[in-house]
Amino acid sequence: MQEVGEIEAEISEVGVERVVRRILTYRTPRPLILPKDKSFWGPKDETIPLPSWLTEEDVAYYVSKFQEKGYTGGVNYYRNFDRNNELFAPWVGCKIQVPTKFAIGEQDLVYHFPGAREYIHGPKFKEEVPLLEEPVVIEGAAHFVNQEKPQEILQLIVDFISKF
């Protein structure tokens, strides 16, 4: 995705709707890898079923926005990691000093990045965020945890803010 125009051309070839469906329904508990052979997107004639938390109307909305604006803005976030690290360098070592609640889906691809689970459940996270409450891993949820398990997330938020 680092080469400008490369992933954008792939998305154009695969089709915006297929890309939206595939990304939103990705539930493989490992980092997302887009092979050069484009096999991640699956055969074009294969239907990508939607989970109960995602409607055809939701997909149509996202498709319309990505057709209007494109994917470059979102992809640029990943292209800019090195620059982001440079920009955040002055804050390395700073602690987040506010009460914090953290929740993640147990099938979230980010949770399965190398070192992520160890960081979330190990001492370093708590060192960097001293007022962090125990992290919550939501079973049966992936990356879009607030949409997939809205009642559980709402309850976590209500329970957390009610302490103040």
Side-chain angles (χ1 to χ4, degrees), residues 19-75:
V19 169
V20 166
R21 284 175 176 270
R22 187 72 170 103
I23 295 294
L24 290 176
T25 61
Y26 185 77
R27 301 188 76 74
T28 305
R30 67 171 187 255
L32 180 66
I33 297 171
L34 301 177
K36 290 280 187 193
D37 67 4
K38 302 178 183 103
S39 59
F40 173 80
W41 310 112
K44 286 187 177 188
D45 61 342
E46 178 184 88
T47 302
I48 300 173
L50 299 181
S52 62
W53 57 268
L54 186 63
T55 68
E56 292 292 342
E57 186 178 82
D58 295 331
V59 171
Y61 175 81
Y62 290 123
V63 167
S64 73
K65 294 305 174 190
F66 283 116
Q67 285 175 330
E68 179 185 331
K69 302 289 185 183
Y71 279 88
T72 301
V75 172

Coordinates of all heavy atoms in Angstrom, one line a residue, residues 19-75:
V19 N -14.9 -4.3 -1.7 CA -13.9 -3.9 -0.8 C -14.6 -3.6 0.6 O -14.1 -4.1 1.6 CB -13.1 -2.8 -1.3 CG1 -12.2 -2.2 -0.2 CG2 -12.2 -3.2 -2.5
V20 N -15.6 -2.8 0.5 CA -16.3 -2.4 1.8 C -16.8 -3.7 2.5 O -16.6 -3.8 3.7 CB -17.5 -1.5 1.5 CG1 -18.4 -1.3 2.7 CG2 -17.0 -0.1 1.0
R21 N -17.5 -4.6 1.7 CA -18.0 -5.8 2.4 C -16.9 -6.6 3.0 O -17.0 -7.1 4.1 CB -18.8 -6.6 1.3 CG -20.1 -6.1 1.0 CD -20.8 -6.9 -0.1 NE -22.1 -6.5 -0.4 CZ -23.2 -7.0 0.2 NH1 -23.1 -7.9 1.1 NH2 -24.4 -6.5 -0.1
R22 N -15.8 -6.8 2.3 CA -14.7 -7.7 2.7 C -14.0 -7.1 4.0 O -13.8 -7.8 4.9 CB -13.7 -7.9 1.6 CG -12.7 -8.9 1.9 CD -13.2 -10.3 2.0 NE -12.2 -11.3 2.0 CZ -11.8 -11.9 3.2 NH1 -12.5 -11.7 4.3 NH2 -10.8 -12.7 3.2
I23 N -13.8 -5.8 4.0 CA -13.1 -5.1 5.1 C -14.0 -5.2 6.3 O -13.6 -5.5 7.4 CB -12.7 -3.7 4.8 CG1 -11.6 -3.7 3.6 CG2 -12.2 -3.0 6.0 CD1 -10.3 -4.3 4.0
L24 N -15.3 -4.8 6.2 CA -16.2 -4.8 7.3 C -16.5 -6.2 7.9 O -16.9 -6.3 9.0 CB -17.5 -4.0 6.9 CG -17.4 -2.5 6.7 CD1 -18.7 -2.0 6.2 CD2 -16.9 -1.8 7.9
T25 N -16.4 -7.2 7.1 CA -16.7 -8.5 7.6 C -15.5 -9.4 7.9 O -15.6 -10.6 8.2 CB -17.6 -9.3 6.6 OG1 -16.9 -9.5 5.3 CG2 -18.9 -8.6 6.3
Y26 N -14.3 -8.8 7.8 CA -13.0 -9.5 8.1 C -13.0 -10.0 9.6 O -13.1 -9.1 10.5 CB -11.8 -8.6 7.8 CG -10.5 -9.3 7.9 CD1 -10.1 -10.1 7.0 CD2 -9.7 -9.1 9.1 CE1 -8.8 -10.8 7.1 CE2 -8.5 -9.7 9.2 CZ -8.0 -10.6 8.2 OH -6.8 -11.2 8.3
R27 N -12.9 -11.2 9.8 CA -13.0 -11.8 11.1 C -11.8 -12.8 11.4 O -11.9 -13.6 12.3 CB -14.3 -12.4 11.4 CG -15.5 -11.5 11.3 CD -16.8 -12.1 11.7 NE -16.9 -12.1 13.1 CZ -17.1 -11.1 13.9 NH1 -17.2 -9.9 13.4 NH2 -17.2 -11.2 15.2
T28 N -10.8 -12.7 10.6 CA -9.7 -13.6 10.8 C -8.8 -13.1 11.8 O -8.2 -12.0 11.7 CB -8.9 -13.9 9.5 OG1 -9.9 -14.3 8.5 CG2 -7.8 -14.9 9.6
P29 N -8.6 -13.8 13.0 CA -7.8 -13.2 14.0 C -6.3 -13.2 13.8 O -5.5 -14.0 14.4 CB -8.1 -14.1 15.2 CG -8.6 -15.4 14.6 CD -9.2 -15.1 13.3
R30 N -5.9 -12.4 12.8 CA -4.5 -12.2 12.5 C -4.4 -10.9 11.7 O -5.4 -10.4 11.2 CB -3.9 -13.4 11.7 CG -4.5 -13.5 10.3 CD -3.7 -14.6 9.5 NE -4.2 -14.6 8.2 CZ -4.9 -15.5 7.7 NH1 -5.4 -16.5 8.4 NH2 -5.3 -15.4 6.4
P31 N -3.2 -10.3 11.6 CA -3.1 -9.1 10.9 C -3.6 -9.3 9.4 O -3.5 -10.3 8.8 CB -1.6 -8.8 10.9 CG -1.1 -9.5 12.1 CD -1.9 -10.7 12.3
L32 N -4.1 -8.2 8.9 CA -4.6 -8.2 7.5 C -3.5 -8.1 6.6 O -2.6 -7.3 6.7 CB -5.5 -6.9 7.4 CG -6.1 -6.7 6.0 CD1 -7.2 -7.8 5.7 CD2 -6.8 -5.3 6.0
I33 N -3.5 -9.1 5.6 CA -2.4 -9.1 4.6 C -3.1 -9.1 3.3 O -4.1 -9.9 3.0 CB -1.6 -10.4 4.8 CG1 -0.8 -10.3 6.1 CG2 -0.6 -10.5 3.6 CD1 -0.1 -11.6 6.5
L34 N -2.7 -8.2 2.4 CA -3.3 -8.2 1.0 C -2.2 -8.7 0.0 O -1.3 -8.0 -0.4 CB -3.6 -6.7 0.7 CG -4.6 -6.0 1.6 CD1 -4.8 -4.6 1.1 CD2 -5.9 -6.8 1.6
P35 N -2.4 -10.0 -0.3 CA -1.4 -10.6 -1.3 C -1.5 -9.9 -2.6 O -2.5 -9.4 -3.0 CB -1.9 -12.1 -1.4 CG -2.9 -12.3 -0.3 CD -3.4 -11.0 0.1
K36 N -0.3 -10.0 -3.3 CA -0.2 -9.3 -4.6 C -1.2 -10.0 -5.6 O -1.6 -9.3 -6.6 CB 1.2 -9.5 -5.2 CG 2.2 -8.6 -4.4 CD 2.1 -7.2 -4.9 CE 3.2 -6.4 -4.3 NZ 3.0 -5.0 -4.5
D37 N -1.6 -11.2 -5.4 CA -2.4 -11.9 -6.4 C -3.9 -11.5 -6.2 O -4.8 -12.1 -6.9 CB -2.3 -13.4 -6.3 CG -2.8 -14.0 -4.9 OD1 -3.3 -13.3 -4.1 OD2 -2.6 -15.2 -4.7
K38 N -4.2 -10.6 -5.3 CA -5.6 -10.1 -5.0 C -6.5 -11.2 -4.5 O -7.7 -11.0 -4.5 CB -6.1 -9.4 -6.3 CG -5.3 -8.3 -6.8 CD -5.9 -7.7 -8.0 CE -5.0 -6.6 -8.6 NZ -4.2 -7.0 -9.7
S39 N -6.0 -12.3 -4.0 CA -6.9 -13.4 -3.5 C -7.6 -13.0 -2.2 O -8.6 -13.6 -1.9 CB -6.0 -14.6 -3.2 OG -5.0 -14.4 -2.3
F40 N -7.2 -12.0 -1.5 CA -7.9 -11.5 -0.3 C -9.3 -11.2 -0.6 O -10.2 -11.5 0.2 CB -7.2 -10.3 0.3 CG -7.9 -9.7 1.5 CD1 -7.8 -10.3 2.7 CD2 -8.7 -8.6 1.3 CE1 -8.5 -9.8 3.8 CE2 -9.4 -8.1 2.4 CZ -9.3 -8.7 3.6
W41 N -9.6 -10.6 -1.7 CA -10.9 -10.1 -2.0 C -11.9 -11.3 -2.4 O -13.1 -11.1 -2.4 CB -10.9 -9.1 -3.2 CG -9.9 -8.0 -2.9 CD1 -8.7 -7.8 -3.5 CD2 -9.9 -7.1 -1.8 NE1 -8.0 -6.8 -3.0 CE2 -8.8 -6.3 -1.9 CE3 -10.9 -6.8 -0.8 CZ2 -8.5 -5.2 -1.1 CZ3 -10.6 -5.7 0.0 CH2 -9.4 -4.9 -0.1
G42 N -11.3 -12.5 -2.7 CA -12.2 -13.6 -3.1 C -12.7 -13.5 -4.5 O -12.5 -12.4 -5.2
P43 N -13.2 -14.6 -5.1 CA -13.8 -14.6 -6.4 C -14.9 -13.5 -6.6 O -15.7 -13.4 -5.7 CB -14.3 -16.0 -6.6 CG -13.7 -16.8 -5.5 CD -13.4 -15.9 -4.4
K44 N -14.9 -12.8 -7.7 CA -15.9 -11.8 -7.9 C -17.3 -12.3 -7.9 O -18.2 -11.5 -7.6 CB -15.6 -11.0 -9.2 CG -14.4 -10.1 -9.1 CD -14.3 -9.3 -10.4 CE -13.1 -8.3 -10.2 NZ -13.0 -7.3 -11.3
D45 N -17.5 -13.5 -8.2 CA -18.9 -14.1 -8.3 C -19.3 -14.6 -6.9 O -20.5 -15.1 -6.7 CB -19.0 -15.2 -9.4 CG -18.1 -16.4 -9.1 OD1 -17.1 -16.2 -8.4 OD2 -18.3 -17.4 -9.7
E46 N -18.4 -14.6 -5.9 CA -18.7 -15.1 -4.6 C -19.4 -14.0 -3.8 O -18.9 -12.9 -3.7 CB -17.4 -15.6 -3.9 CG -17.6 -16.0 -2.5 CD -16.3 -16.4 -1.9 OE1 -15.7 -15.4 -1.3 OE2 -15.8 -17.5 -2.0
T47 N -20.5 -14.3 -3.2 CA -21.2 -13.4 -2.3 C -20.6 -13.3 -1.0 O -20.1 -14.3 -0.4 CB -22.7 -13.9 -2.1 OG1 -23.3 -14.0 -3.4 CG2 -23.5 -12.9 -1.3
I48 N -20.5 -12.1 -0.5 CA -19.9 -11.9 0.9 C -21.1 -11.6 1.8 O -21.7 -10.5 1.7 CB -18.9 -10.7 0.9 CG1 -17.7 -11.0 0.0 CG2 -18.4 -10.5 2.3 CD1 -16.8 -9.9 -0.2
P49 N -21.5 -12.6 2.6 CA -22.7 -12.4 3.5 C -22.4 -11.4 4.6 O -21.3 -11.2 5.0 CB -23.0 -13.8 4.0 CG -21.7 -14.5 3.9 CD -20.9 -13.9 2.8
L50 N -23.4 -10.6 5.0 CA -23.3 -9.6 6.0 C -23.7 -10.2 7.4 O -24.7 -11.0 7.5 CB -24.2 -8.4 5.7 CG -23.9 -7.7 4.4 CD1 -24.9 -6.5 4.2 CD2 -22.5 -7.2 4.3
P51 N -23.0 -9.8 8.4 CA -23.3 -10.3 9.7 C -24.6 -9.5 10.2 O -25.0 -8.5 9.6 CB -22.1 -9.9 10.6 CG -21.4 -8.8 9.8 CD -21.7 -9.0 8.4
S52 N -25.2 -9.9 11.3 CA -26.4 -9.3 11.7 C -26.3 -7.8 12.1 O -27.3 -7.1 12.0 CB -27.0 -10.1 13.0 OG -26.0 -10.0 14.0
W53 N -25.1 -7.4 12.4 CA -25.0 -6.0 12.9 C -24.7 -5.1 11.7 O -24.7 -3.8 11.9 CB -23.8 -5.9 13.8 CG -22.5 -6.4 13.3 CD1 -22.0 -7.7 13.5 CD2 -21.5 -5.7 12.5 NE1 -20.8 -7.8 12.8 CE2 -20.5 -6.6 12.3 CE3 -21.4 -4.4 12.1 CZ2 -19.3 -6.2 11.5 CZ3 -20.3 -4.0 11.3 CH2 -19.3 -4.9 11.1
L54 N -24.6 -5.6 10.5 CA -24.4 -4.8 9.3 C -25.5 -5.0 8.3 O -25.8 -6.1 7.9 CB -23.0 -5.2 8.7 CG -22.5 -4.4 7.5 CD1 -22.2 -2.9 7.9 CD2 -21.2 -5.0 7.0
T55 N -26.1 -3.9 7.8 CA -27.2 -4.0 6.9 C -26.8 -3.6 5.5 O -25.7 -3.0 5.3 CB -28.4 -3.0 7.3 OG1 -27.9 -1.7 7.1 CG2 -28.8 -3.3 8.7
E56 N -27.6 -3.9 4.5 CA -27.3 -3.5 3.1 C -27.3 -2.0 3.1 O -26.6 -1.4 2.3 CB -28.4 -4.1 2.2 CG -28.3 -5.6 2.0 CD -27.1 -6.1 1.3 OE1 -26.4 -5.3 0.6 OE2 -26.8 -7.3 1.5
E57 N -28.2 -1.4 3.9 CA -28.2 0.1 3.9 C -26.9 0.7 4.4 O -26.4 1.7 3.8 CB -29.4 0.6 4.8 CG -29.6 2.1 4.8 CD -30.8 2.5 5.6 OE1 -30.6 2.6 6.9 OE2 -31.9 2.6 5.1
D58 N -26.3 0.1 5.4 CA -25.0 0.5 5.9 C -23.9 0.4 4.8 O -23.2 1.3 4.6 CB -24.5 -0.4 7.1 CG -25.4 -0.3 8.3 OD1 -26.0 0.8 8.5 OD2 -25.4 -1.3 9.1
V59 N -23.9 -0.8 4.1 CA -22.9 -1.0 3.1 C -23.1 0.0 2.0 O -22.1 0.6 1.5 CB -23.1 -2.4 2.5 CG1 -22.2 -2.6 1.2 CG2 -22.7 -3.5 3.6
A60 N -24.4 0.3 1.6 CA -24.6 1.3 0.5 C -24.1 2.7 0.9 O -23.6 3.4 0.1 CB -26.1 1.3 0.2
Y61 N -24.3 3.0 2.2 CA -23.8 4.3 2.7 C -22.3 4.4 2.5 O -21.8 5.4 2.0 CB -24.2 4.5 4.1 CG -23.7 5.8 4.7 CD1 -24.3 7.0 4.5 CD2 -22.5 5.8 5.5 CE1 -23.7 8.2 5.0 CE2 -22.0 6.9 6.0 CZ -22.6 8.1 5.7 OH -22.0 9.3 6.2
Y62 N -21.6 3.4 3.1 CA -20.1 3.4 3.0 C -19.7 3.4 1.5 O -18.7 4.1 1.2 CB -19.5 2.2 3.7 CG -19.7 2.3 5.2 CD1 -20.3 1.3 5.9 CD2 -19.2 3.3 6.0 CE1 -20.4 1.3 7.3 CE2 -19.3 3.4 7.3 CZ -19.9 2.4 8.0 OH -20.0 2.4 9.4
V63 N -20.3 2.6 0.7 CA -19.9 2.6 -0.7 C -20.1 3.9 -1.3 O -19.2 4.4 -2.0 CB -20.7 1.5 -1.5 CG1 -20.6 1.6 -3.0 CG2 -20.3 0.1 -1.0
S64 N -21.2 4.6 -1.1 CA -21.4 5.9 -1.6 C -20.3 6.9 -1.2 O -19.9 7.7 -2.0 CB -22.8 6.4 -1.3 OG -22.9 6.9 0.1
K65 N -19.9 6.9 0.1 CA -18.9 7.8 0.6 C -17.6 7.5 0.0 O -16.8 8.4 -0.4 CB -18.8 7.7 2.1 CG -20.1 8.3 2.8 CD -20.4 9.7 2.3 CE -21.7 10.2 2.8 NZ -22.2 11.4 2.2
F66 N -17.2 6.2 -0.2 CA -15.9 5.9 -0.8 C -15.9 6.1 -2.3 O -14.9 6.5 -2.8 CB -15.5 4.4 -0.4 CG -15.0 4.3 1.0 CD1 -15.6 3.5 1.9 CD2 -13.8 4.9 1.4 CE1 -15.2 3.3 3.2 CE2 -13.3 4.8 2.7 CZ -14.0 4.0 3.6
Q67 N -17.0 6.0 -2.9 CA -17.1 6.3 -4.4 C -17.0 7.8 -4.6 O -16.3 8.2 -5.5 CB -18.4 5.8 -5.0 CG -18.4 4.3 -5.2 CD -19.8 3.8 -5.7 OE1 -20.8 4.3 -5.4 NE2 -19.7 2.7 -6.4
E68 N -17.5 8.6 -3.6 CA -17.4 10.0 -3.7 C -16.0 10.5 -3.4 O -15.5 11.4 -4.1 CB -18.4 10.6 -2.7 CG -18.5 12.1 -2.6 CD -19.4 12.6 -1.5 OE1 -20.4 11.9 -1.2 OE2 -19.1 13.7 -1.0
K69 N -15.4 10.0 -2.3 CA -14.1 10.6 -1.8 C -12.9 9.7 -2.2 O -11.8 10.2 -2.1 CB -14.2 10.7 -0.3 CG -15.3 11.6 0.2 CD -15.0 13.1 -0.2 CE -16.1 14.0 0.4 NZ -15.9 15.4 0.0
G70 N -13.1 8.4 -2.4 CA -12.0 7.5 -2.7 C -11.4 7.0 -1.4 O -11.8 7.3 -0.3
Y71 N -10.4 6.2 -1.5 CA -9.7 5.5 -0.4 C -8.4 6.1 0.0 O -7.8 5.8 1.0 CB -9.5 4.0 -0.7 CG -10.7 3.1 -0.5 CD1 -11.6 2.9 -1.5 CD2 -10.9 2.5 0.7 CE1 -12.7 2.1 -1.3 CE2 -12.0 1.7 0.9 CZ -12.9 1.5 -0.1 OH -13.9 0.7 0.1
T72 N -7.9 7.1 -0.8 CA -6.6 7.6 -0.6 C -6.4 8.2 0.8 O -5.4 7.9 1.4 CB -6.2 8.6 -1.7 OG1 -6.3 8.0 -3.0 CG2 -4.8 9.2 -1.5
G73 N -7.3 9.0 1.2 CA -7.2 9.6 2.6 C -7.0 8.5 3.7 O -6.1 8.7 4.5
G74 N -7.8 7.5 3.6 CA -7.7 6.4 4.6 C -6.4 5.6 4.5 O -5.7 5.3 5.5
V75 N -6.0 5.4 3.3 CA -4.8 4.6 3.0 C -3.6 5.4 3.4 O -2.5 4.9 3.8 CB -4.7 4.2 1.5 CG1 -3.4 3.6 1.2 CG2 -5.8 3.2 1.2

